[in-house]
């Protein structure tokens, strides 16, 4: 890290030294996030395969030793887990704003994530679910606050280096996500699942060590609690939390005592909560009488984007479940004579993001100069059509593999590439339009609302799996593809109506 630092009189918060022309603290946050994403995506690459794995497989060299669950249960657990990571971003932001401050929240989050991966490294179903819960909670706490800390490094929103700083930070995210399946995935799939999870814990440990060692390079604002709880608020919240925990403990204690407990008693309520909470949050904001007519209209328009994003993430996030299972069981594990583990497919998305994001940034600028850049609504429609098209493509190799034939890896390479192009059309502009359309009263909360679209999409997938729908079947894949494409066309056809709701936002 030190070799990348140069001295400069920039007047930036925290130090007179820079990291590639940016405040020195960006290096600290870059490497912290890179290693955190290494741990998260490494574990995620193993998750579904570990859940469905049974005994040792001499043909593949896998050590076995997984939880031997059905594909449907594994998909449901994976979907619930991913949705909870994004759901936890809202309370994570609340803790940063009102309890600990961003810096302390990220520190605690790092320890929680590391403990979660360490728990996953211990064999047994009980420790697996403890570990999964800890990683979800820790990731939510960290996700909501580390980006805020990047913003603290700059002299306000008008600092010309700000966008470039976030771009470098985004590269760190994708770099960690790209490397993780090669290291964690290979070790877990080919040697021992629990060693893979342990390596993910080591990754988070490296990120946390980097954060603590160079924490002085961060802005002093990151240690401030912007809106601390009063003594009365703290007491009231503590009482409510204790009552809620007690009620849940009594309920599940009774279910266990009656011998009725199954995994669905945990998964179904969490999945339903992941669908109900996003709707409740949007309804609460919409019904706020403090919003003026213009803000109400923008919220009506934002609901279109929210629903579209939920449909998009419902399909996109199956890259780690439905597509991962297909890669493991029905896709050839060699190309041009070179063999590789199924987990390596999980590196394709971050690879394509790093390769294509600069191309798309240049393309939008080039079109803007010619006054031909698609607006936000059209980009959303493009993202939906593309993610739907990826599943229409997926139907073809699924049909080819129906007789036991293993298909070429290039099918999955193509599907992941199409989905990444769709992501680059929808995800960056989704973040942007969220900040632009947010009512003033909810300016800081709306980013959490955007993450709830991911929660809603993944919980829909989880609920379908729990209801007995085979998400690995050709029919349901085709139906999801048709839903996304139709949603994309609907957004496009009603673009003038939505634009009218958006007012001055373009």
């Amino acid at each position: 890290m030190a070799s990348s630092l140069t001295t400069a009189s920039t007047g930036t918060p925290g130090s007179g030294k820079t990291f590639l022309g940016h405040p020195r603290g960006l290096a600290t946050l870059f490497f912290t996030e890179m290693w955190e994403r290494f741990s998260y995506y490494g574990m995620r690459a193993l998750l579904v395969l570990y859940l469905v794995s049974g005994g040792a497989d001499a043909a593949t060299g896998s050590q076995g030793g997984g939880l031997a669950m059905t594909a449907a249960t594994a998909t449901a657990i994976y979907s619930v887990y991913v949705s909870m990571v994004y759901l936890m971003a809202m309370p994570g932001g609340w803790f940063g704003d009102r309890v600990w401050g961003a810096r302390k929240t990220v520190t605690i989050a790092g320890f929680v994530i590391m403990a979660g991966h360490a728990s996953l490294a211990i064999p047994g179903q009980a420790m697996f679910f403890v570990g999964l819960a800890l990683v979800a909670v820790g990731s939510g706490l960290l996700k909501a606050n580390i980006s805020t800390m990047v913003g603290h490094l700059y002299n306000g929103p008008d600092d010309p280096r700000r966008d470039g700083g976030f771009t470098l930070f985004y590269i760190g995210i994708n770099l960690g996500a790209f490397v993780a399946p090669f290291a964690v995935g290979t070790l877990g799939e080919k040697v021992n699942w629990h060693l893979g999870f342990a390596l993910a814990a080591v990754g988070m440990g490296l990120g946390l060590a980097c954060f603590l060692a160079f924490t002085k390079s961060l802005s002093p604002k990151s240690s401030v609690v912007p809106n601390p709880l009063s003594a009365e608020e703290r007491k009231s919240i503590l009482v409510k939390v204790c009552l809620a925990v007690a009620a849940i403990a009594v309920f599940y204690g009774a279910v266990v005592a009656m011998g009725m407990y199954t995994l669905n008693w945990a998964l179904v309520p969490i999945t339903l909560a992941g669908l109900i909470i996003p709707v409740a949050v949007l309804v609460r904001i919409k019904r706020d009488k403090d919003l003026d007519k213009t803000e109400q209209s923008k919220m009506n328009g934002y609901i279109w984007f929210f629903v579209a994003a939920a449909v998009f993430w419902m399909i996109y996030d199956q890259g780690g479940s439905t597509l991962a299972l297909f890669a493991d069981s029905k896709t050839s594990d060699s190309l041009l004579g070179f063999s590789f583990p199924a987990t390596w497919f999980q590196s394709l998305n971050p690879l394509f993001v790093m390769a294509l994001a600069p191309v798309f940034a240049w393309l939008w600028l080039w079109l803007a100069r010619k006054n031909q850049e698609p607006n936000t609504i059209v980009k959303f429609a493009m993202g939906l059509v593309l993610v739907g098209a990826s599943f229409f493509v997926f139907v073809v190799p699924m049909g080819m593999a129906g007789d036991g034939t293993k298909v070429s890896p290039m099918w999955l390479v193509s599907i992941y590439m199409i989905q990444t192009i769709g992501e680059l059309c929808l995800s960056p502009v989704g973040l942007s339009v969220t900040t632009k359309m947010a009512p003033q009263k909810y300016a800081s909360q709306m980013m959490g609302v955007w993450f709830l679209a991911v929660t809603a999409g993944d919980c829909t997938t989880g609920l379908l799996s729990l209801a007995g729908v085979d998400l690995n079947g050709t029919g349901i894949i085709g139906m999801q593809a048709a839903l996304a494409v139709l949603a994309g066309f609907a957004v496009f056809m009603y673009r003038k109506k939505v634009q009218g709701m958006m007012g001055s936002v373009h």
Side-chain angles (χ1 to χ4, degrees):
M1 185 187 301
S3 61
S4 299
L5 299 176
T6 58
T7 301
S9 300
T10 59
T12 58
S15 176
K17 294 183 179 180
T18 65
F19 168 68
L20 302 177
H22 291 268
R24 185 174 61 169
L26 183 63
T28 303
L29 298 177
F30 176 97
F31 287 106
T32 302
E33 181 71 350
M34 184 190 77
W35 283 113
E36 188 274 329
R37 292 290 89 182
F38 172 90
S39 72
Y40 174 80
Y41 281 99
M43 183 276 280
R44 206 181 82 156
L46 295 178
L47 183 54
V48 169
L49 302 185
Y50 169 70
L51 289 172
V52 299
S53 172
D57 188 341
T60 64
S62 170
Q63 295 297 306
L67 297 184
M69 294 182 178
T70 64
T73 302
T75 300
I77 291 171
Y78 168 86
S79 300
V80 168
Y81 163 69
V82 174
S83 70
M84 288 302 105
V85 168
Y86 286 92
L87 182 62
M88 288 296 114
M90 282 202 81
W94 182 86
F95 271 98
D97 286 341
R98 307 215 63 190
V99 183
W100 294 320
R103 188 183 304 194
K104 188 174 181 180
T105 304
V106 167
T107 303
I108 292 170
F111 280 109
V112 172
I113 293 169
M114 192 165 60
H117 289 304
S119 298
L120 290 169
I122 301 172
Q125 191 170 119
M127 292 307 296
F128 169 80
F129 285 109
V130 168
L132 215 56
L134 288 173
V135 175
V137 170
S139 297
L141 287 170
L142 187 140
K143 180 181 289 291
N145 290 282
I146 196 163
S147 295
T148 301
M149 295 173 71
V150 174
H152 287 164
L153 295 171
Y154 297 93
N155 296 315
D158 296 327
D159 190 320
R161 300 164 302 165
R162 188 183 179 94
D163 286 350
F166 274 97
T167 300
L168 281 172
F169 183 69
Y170 193 59
I171 290 171
I173 292 172
N174 284 284
L175 192 59
F178 171 69
V179 173
F182 294 110
V184 178
T186 303
L187 182 63
E189 187 180 354
K190 292 299 183 184
V191 181
N192 182 282
W193 299 112
H194 301 288
L195 286 178
F197 293 134
L199 182 58
V202 171
M204 186 64 252
L206 289 171
L208 186 59
C210 171
F211 184 79
L212 294 174
F214 297 96
T215 192
K216 290 182 180 179
S217 67
L218 302 175
S219 168
K221 285 190 290 186
S222 297
S223 298
V224 175
V225 182
N227 182 24
L229 291 171
S230 66
E232 289 182 3
E233 287 176 315
R234 191 180 294 269
K235 182 179 178 181
S236 173
I237 290 168
L238 198 59
V239 169
K240 289 176 182 176
V241 169
C242 289
L243 288 174
V245 170
I248 292 169
V250 169
F251 175 77
Y252 279 100
V255 171
V256 171
M258 290 186 288
M260 296 170 57
Y261 182 80
T262 64
L263 189 57
N264 280 0
W265 276 96
L267 293 179
V268 172
I270 295 173
T271 307
L272 290 174
L275 289 171
I276 293 168
I277 290 172
V279 174
V281 170
L282 285 172
V283 169
R284 180 174 63 86
I285 295 174
K286 266 294 290 144
R287 295 180 66 181
D288 191 331
K289 294 179 180 178
D290 289 342
L291 304 188
D292 60 32
K293 188 176 180 180
T294 301
E295 290 177 324
Q296 285 283 0
S297 178
K298 286 181 180 178
M299 281 306 301
N300 287 335
Y302 185 75
I303 288 170
W304 279 77
F305 293 111
F306 185 92
V307 173
V311 173
F312 178 88
W313 297 117
M314 179 184 75
I315 294 176
Y316 180 89
D317 274 345
Q318 289 182 57
S321 55
T322 306
L323 288 175
L325 291 169
F326 187 84
D328 183 50
S329 60
K330 298 180 180 180
T331 304
S332 173
D333 62 356
S334 65
L335 186 66
L336 301 175
F338 178 75
S339 297
F340 51 88
T343 48
W344 284 21
F345 284 103
Q346 298 303 309
S347 288
L348 288 171
N349 170 253
L351 173 64
F352 288 139
V353 168
M354 290 188 290
L356 296 176
V359 176
F360 270 75
W362 170 84
L363 177 63
W364 299 141
L365 284 173
W366 181 71
L367 289 172
R369 288 193 209 102
K370 301 178 71 175
N371 203 29
Q372 293 179 355
E373 183 187 5
N375 65 21
T376 298
I377 305 166
V378 175
K379 288 177 182 177
F380 257 72
M382 291 166 61
L384 282 168
V385 170
L386 283 165
V387 82
S390 75
F391 262 29
F392 275 130
V393 172
F394 188 25
V395 169
V396 178
M398 289 187 81
M400 294 168 62
D403 61 356
T405 302
K406 292 208 170 188
V407 304
S408 167
M410 294 309 296
W411 283 105
L412 285 181
V413 173
S414 301
I415 292 165
Y416 280 114
M417 184 172 70
I418 295 169
Q419 290 189 349
T420 302
I421 294 171
E423 177 192 4
L424 291 170
C425 288
L426 181 141
S427 185
V429 296
L431 291 167
S432 177
V433 81
T434 297
T435 59
K436 291 176 181 177
M437 296 178 69
Q440 186 62 37
K441 183 177 178 180
Y442 296 98
S444 61
Q445 296 180 41
M446 283 296 287
M447 198 55 70
V449 173
W450 169 250
F451 287 139
L452 288 181
V454 186
T455 298
D458 282 313
C459 280
T460 301
T461 304
L463 201 60
L464 288 171
S465 296
L466 293 171
V469 176
D470 182 12
L471 290 173
N472 301 285
T474 306
I476 191 65
I477 293 297
M479 286 178 63
Q480 291 180 81
L483 172 65
V485 171
L486 287 172
F489 276 113
V491 169
F492 182 78
M493 294 301 293
Y494 283 88
R495 64 190 183 281
K496 291 183 179 178
K497 180 179 179 180
V498 177
Q499 186 62 65
M501 297 175 186
M502 293 170 67
S504 59
V505 177
H506 295 285

